[in-house]
């Protein structure tokens, strides 16, 4: 019998909301074919649907309460935030499990795999890898990757939109070229590659095609096809990979979350401040800062001013320190009076932490009754929040962490997760952008994440043209392992997506589980480039 192989193609942020209309026009022939001759459905992401937590959930088959990664940024010290990396992920990943079972593994550009670690095969790390760092396992593999590109170079600027589109197209072609080369030259049983353009382009170019977007300008017809084109390019890449993989390979196509309209940002910390859940220090310096802030001096317009003068690149290149000094003059967590503060927000989409004694450095809220009262008080108040522009309520649902998650890192979890109306509002990840509760995205984004990503499976054991429901990102790991007849660790949160498999396969393939192992990744190096990665996050519009 021929050895089984699995290829996973990740399309970051891909959604059927963009795919279906193109498919109906016959513009995505490769995805159409995979779906027609395979099984497919929505794939529910993590809560919140953030690249930084969703890919670790894919890799481990576990929710963030078990793998410990809730966002790109990590609640560490109030004065600063830490960034997550592959070392933050607790437990065995899909790459480790395949390696341990003697399978040959290739991992290309999966987010949150930097720094790389030892697997039975080859690894190239993904987004947020520092430029001159070790990005491969084994290290000498890098020599084979001469002009390989890890991440986006251009950032979105008005007047430079086309540069970003071109940069992302080039990145996709570069990755496709290298991936096909690697898959042809190296031996592999399990391979994976992630393309990022399907996330980045919709973040910035939604407003050009979405006639209902508040920033849509009907006289501006430029870039209205940017999103469609990035999907067509991704479809081409999928087609090229399909052509070079051996017959009989099972292919999984997935995204870490979906995408949709971004209407506005919510400054949750400003909302907490205005509702007395968060209190600023009374010092004259903080007062002055707040007033300057209110008068309009904010990172948002500092950034704009710099852009207008065209000196932004120079500033970034030569004077990061100076720029940080300017930004540090803004309101930050160091200006918060923690003794009087009951709650704060940190992280994307909408996450609130109670300033809990015993957990927080300067905790002020007692566990138990007081904790519950503060939480319930916030939920009640949040439901009254209206967008002054539309007059509509903004918060659709607030979820307590224990309602969705169980696991050893539940304590690290935000205590409340917010879902905005139609997911059209995104909470600012850090302290604030200005003193208004609502504001525009500071880098002009007009699209943002949605809970439902995509899932497509195609292979000899997979049913044809079947739509499945209720698939979750944590289900990929057990489903892929099952398809390869490999035992599944018993501590995962995901389930095997049994409905996708042909009767002929499932009737003779028992579900095998094994006791989960405690593992420590063999890392090559400590991460010392946090500042550089933070800069990248800022460039990408994830941090202000
Ligand atoms: Zn994104």
């Amino acid at each position: 019998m021929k050895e089984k192989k699995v290829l996973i193609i990740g399309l970051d942020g891909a959604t059927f909301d963009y795919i279906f209309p193109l498919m109906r026009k016959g513009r995505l022939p490769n995805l159409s074919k995979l779906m027609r001759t395979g099984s497919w459905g929505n794939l529910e992401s993590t809560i919140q649907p953030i690249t930084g937590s969703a890919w670790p959930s894919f890799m481990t088959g576990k929710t963030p309460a078990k793998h410990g990664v809730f966002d790109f940024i990590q609640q560490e010290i109030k004065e600063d935030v830490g960034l997550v990396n592959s070392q933050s992920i607790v437990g065995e990943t899909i790459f480790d499990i395949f390696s341990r079972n003697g399978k040959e593994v290739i991992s290309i550009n999966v987010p949150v795999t930097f720094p790389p670690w030892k697997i039975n095969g080859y690894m190239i790390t993904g987004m947020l890898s520092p430029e001159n760092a070790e990005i491969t396992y084994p290290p000498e593999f890098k020599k084979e990757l001469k002009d390989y590109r890890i991440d986006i170079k251009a950032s979105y600027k008005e007047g430079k939109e086309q540069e970003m589109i071109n940069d992302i197209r080039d990145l996709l072609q570069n990755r496709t070229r290298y991936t096909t080369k690697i898959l042809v030259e190296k031996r592999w049983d399990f391979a994976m590659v992630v393309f990022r353009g399907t996330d980045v382009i919709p973040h910035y170019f939604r407003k050009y095609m979405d006639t209902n977007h508040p920033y849509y300008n009907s006289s501006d017809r430029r870039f209205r096809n940017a999103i469609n084109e990035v999907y067509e390019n991704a479809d081409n890449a999928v087609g090229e990979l399909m052509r070079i993989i051996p017959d009989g390979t099972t292919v999984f196509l997935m995204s870490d979350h979906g995408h949709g309209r971004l209407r506005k940002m919510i400054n949750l910390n400003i909302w907490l401040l205005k509702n007395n859940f968060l209190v600023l220090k009374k010092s004259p310096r903080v007062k002055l800062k707040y007033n300057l802030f209110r008068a309009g001096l904010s990172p948002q317009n500092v950034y704009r001013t710099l852009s207008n003068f065209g000196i932004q690149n120079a500033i970034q290149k030569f004077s990061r320190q100076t720029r940080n000094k300017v930004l540090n003059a803004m309101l930050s967590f160091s200006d918060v009076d923690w003794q009087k503060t009951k709650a704060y927000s940190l992280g994307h989409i909408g996450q609130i932490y109670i300033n809990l004694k015993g957990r927080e450095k300067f905790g002020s809220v007692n566990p138990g009754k007081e904790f519950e009262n503060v939480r319930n008080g916030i939920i009640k108040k949040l439901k009254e929040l209206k967008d002054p522009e539309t007059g509509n309520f903004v918060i659709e649902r607030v979820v307590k962490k224990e309602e969705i998650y169980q696991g050893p890192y539940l304590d690290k979890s935000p205590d409340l997760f917010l879902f905005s109306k139609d997911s059209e509002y995104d909470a600012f990840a850090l302290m604030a952008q200005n003193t208004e509760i609502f504001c525009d995205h500071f880098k002009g984004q007009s699209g943002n994440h949605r809970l439902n990503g995509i899932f497509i499976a195609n292979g000899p054991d997979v049913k044809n043209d079947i739509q499945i429901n209720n698939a979750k990102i944590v289900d990929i790991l057990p489903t892929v392992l099952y398809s390869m007849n490999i035992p599944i660790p018993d501590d995962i949160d995901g389930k095997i997506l049994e409905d996708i498999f042909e009767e002929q396969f499932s009737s003779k393939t028992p579900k095998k589980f094994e006791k989960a192992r405690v593992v420590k990744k063999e890392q090559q190096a400590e991460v010392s480039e946090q500042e550089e990665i933070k800069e990248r996050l800022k460039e990408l519009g994830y941090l202000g």
Side-chain angles (χ1 to χ4, degrees):
M1 206 182 91
K2 237 189 346 198
E3 279 295 309
K4 286 184 169 229
K5 287 184 198 295
V6 166
L7 170 67
I8 301 184
I9 303 171
L11 299 180
D12 203 295
T15 165
F16 287 120
D17 293 346
Y18 288 136
I19 289 174
F20 285 148
L22 284 169
M23 222 168 230
R24 282 195 285 272
K25 293 180 190 149
R27 285 170 67 178
L28 302 176
N30 296 299
L31 292 185
S32 298
K33 190 177 167 196
L34 283 175
M35 285 169 71
R36 208 171 49 239
T37 59
S39 302
W40 57 275
N42 283 329
L43 188 68
E44 194 186 297
S45 182
T46 46
I47 292 172
Q48 300 289 8
I50 302 158
T51 302
S53 59
W55 287 112
S57 278
F58 149 76
M59 281 189 252
T60 58
K62 295 171 189 170
T63 63
K66 281 190 191 164
H67 62 62
V69 179
F70 291 87
D71 205 303
F72 288 116
I73 50 179
Q74 210 158 232
Q75 171 213 34
E76 268 172 11
I77 356 151
K78 296 296 155 354
E79 285 73 15
D80 199 5
V81 284
L83 291 175
V84 305
N85 59 48
S86 66
Q87 296 170 340
S88 322
I89 305 169
V90 179
E92 256 192 328
T93 66
I94 194 165
F95 310 112
D96 305 318
I97 298 169
F98 273 114
S99 297
R100 177 161 59 71
N101 282 276
K103 302 291 180 191
E104 292 184 271
V105 177
I106 289 171
S107 170
I108 301 174
N109 255 93
V110 180
V112 208
T113 53
F114 177 85
W117 67 95
K118 185 179 174 187
I119 56 170
N120 183 32
Y122 298 89
M123 179 182 281
I124 309 173
T125 60
M127 71 179 285
L128 306 184
S129 302
E131 225 151 70
N132 295 313
E134 202 70 84
I135 55 153
T136 63
Y137 178 84
E140 58 273 19
F141 181 41
K142 199 177 176 182
K143 290 195 200 100
E144 297 174 40
L145 305 174
K146 282 172 215 107
D147 63 340
Y148 184 86
R149 290 188 54 191
I150 287 263
D151 216 344
I152 300 141
K153 279 187 207 137
S155 58
Y156 181 85
K157 286 179 205 93
E158 236 157 85
K160 304 252 171 154
E161 296 90 347
Q162 193 60 46
E163 275 179 30
M164 186 181 209
I165 292 172
N166 295 347
D167 182 52
I168 285 172
R169 189 191 304 127
D170 180 68
L171 181 67
L172 186 129
Q173 285 166 354
N174 177 288
R175 188 156 314 155
T176 310
R177 183 157 51 81
Y178 271 102
T179 304
T180 49
K181 180 172 155 18
I182 292 164
L183 294 188
V184 168
E185 288 175 1
K186 308 280 181 208
R187 286 156 43 124
W188 55 277
D189 304 294
F190 171 66
M192 170 151 193
V193 58
V194 176
F195 296 100
R196 289 261 305 133
T198 40
D199 178 63
V200 182
I201 292 287
H203 269 301
Y204 293 97
F205 292 87
R206 170 92 191 187
K207 65 183 173 195
Y208 296 102
M209 75 179 287
D210 176 0
T211 52
N212 291 318
H213 199 283
Y215 308 144
Y216 179 75
N217 175 355
S218 58
S219 61
D220 186 358
R221 306 283 288 154
R222 302 170 305 154
F223 317 121
R224 65 185 185 283
N225 271 317
I227 296 178
N228 291 341
E229 280 164 10
V230 83
Y231 272 87
E232 286 181 303
N233 293 339
D235 184 79
N236 272 333
V238 170
E240 283 190 41
L241 295 178
M242 295 306 295
R243 268 191 289 284
I244 57 101
I245 56 174
D247 277 348
T249 303
T250 304
V251 176
F252 291 88
L253 213 121
M254 63 172 290
S255 63
D256 54 336
H257 52 71
H259 244 277
R261 179 184 303 139
L262 173 67
R263 186 175 290 277
K264 269 180 201 165
M265 302 296 288
I266 311 177
N267 275 325
L268 272 181
N269 282 314
I270 295 295
W271 180 85
L272 289 165
L273 179 71
K274 290 186 173 172
N275 284 279
N276 300 318
F277 292 109
L278 186 143
V279 178
L280 291 179
K281 286 175 187 162
K282 288 270 176 308
S283 77
R285 205 179 123 263
V286 173
K287 266 190 194 157
L288 177 71
K289 266 163 88 166
Y290 184 77
N291 286 331
L292 279 175
F293 212 46
R294 204 167 49 185
L297 181 73
S298 72
Q300 194 174 12
N301 50 41
V302 166
Y303 187 88
R304 260 192 219 135
T305 312
L306 296 180
S307 299
N308 290 344
F309 283 111
I311 53 172
Q312 185 197 323
N313 279 336
I315 294 249
Q316 271 162 15
K317 247 185 214 147
F318 301 115
S319 167
R320 181 177 295 166
Q321 251 186 338
T322 312
R323 195 169 73 132
N324 279 346
K325 246 185 230 163
V326 175
L327 292 180
N328 285 341
M330 306 303 153
L331 222 46
S332 73
F333 282 122
S334 61
D335 302 321
V336 170
D337 184 341
W338 291 104
Q339 259 78 38
K340 293 182 181 146
T341 288
K342 300 213 175 309
Y344 64 96
S345 172
L346 178 71
H348 298 82
I349 315 271
Q351 311 177 31
I352 290 177
Y353 292 86
I354 305 302
N355 190 22
L356 185 64
K357 275 185 194 164
R359 176 181 70 183
E360 308 289 333
K361 201 168 171 190
F362 307 107
S364 72
V365 176
N366 290 304
K369 212 170 160 209
E370 195 187 356
F371 172 78
E372 274 315 320
N373 285 344
V374 174
R375 256 197 334 180
N376 291 333
I378 292 173
I379 295 174
K380 190 164 166 279
K381 273 265 166 209
L382 271 173
K383 292 195 170 158
E384 297 165 9
L385 179 63
K386 282 183 179 176
D387 182 340
E389 213 169 305
T390 63
N392 295 330
F393 290 108
V394 166
I395 306 298
E396 223 160 50
R397 201 157 66 99
V398 185
V399 176
K400 295 177 177 176
K401 61 181 174 187
E402 68 275 14
E403 292 169 10
I404 47 169
Y405 290 142
Q406 289 303 320
Y409 297 98
L410 188 65
D411 192 45
K412 254 180 83 180
S413 167
D415 298 303
L416 294 171
F417 295 98
L418 280 60
F419 295 85
S420 66
K421 176 108 183 58
D422 303 322
S423 305
E424 290 188 352
Y425 297 79
D426 185 7
F428 179 55
L430 294 174
M431 183 58 195
Q433 282 291 295
N434 53 38
T435 55
E436 299 301 317
I437 293 172
F438 294 97
C439 67
D440 296 338
H441 189 276
F442 71 111
K443 291 202 80 176
Q445 292 192 3
S446 52
N448 199 33
H449 300 178
R450 291 293 184 277
L451 198 55
N452 278 329
I454 64 162
F455 167 78
I456 304 171
N458 190 300
D461 304 321
V462 177
K463 284 182 193 157
N464 280 2
D465 206 13
I466 290 284
Q467 184 182 355
I468 57 158
N469 295 309
N470 307 321
K472 295 187 170 171
I473 195 157
V474 289
D475 300 335
I476 302 284
L477 176 137
T479 304
V480 169
L481 291 178
Y482 178 67
S483 79
M484 294 279 278
N485 203 10
I486 288 173
I488 298 162
D490 63 3
D491 66 340
I492 60 158
D493 293 302
K495 59 182 186 306
I496 301 168
L497 297 169
E498 293 176 51
D499 294 347
I500 69 164
F501 292 105
E502 295 278 10
E503 172 69 29
Q504 216 191 352
F505 171 80
S506 37
S507 64
K508 61 176 201 290
T509 312
K511 297 186 196 89
K512 291 187 278 186
F513 289 88
E514 64 176 14
K515 198 161 165 23
R517 291 158 199 244
V518 182
V519 290
K520 198 155 168 25
K521 290 188 197 76
E522 254 182 73
Q523 302 284 0
Q524 295 180 25
E526 286 297 307
V527 183
S528 57
E529 299 92 348
Q530 285 236 339
E531 278 312 308
E532 188 188 332
I533 306 174
K534 271 188 203 172
E535 288 296 315
R536 287 296 306 149
L537 273 174
K538 282 179 191 167
E539 281 302 299
L540 287 167
Y542 281 107
L543 285 181

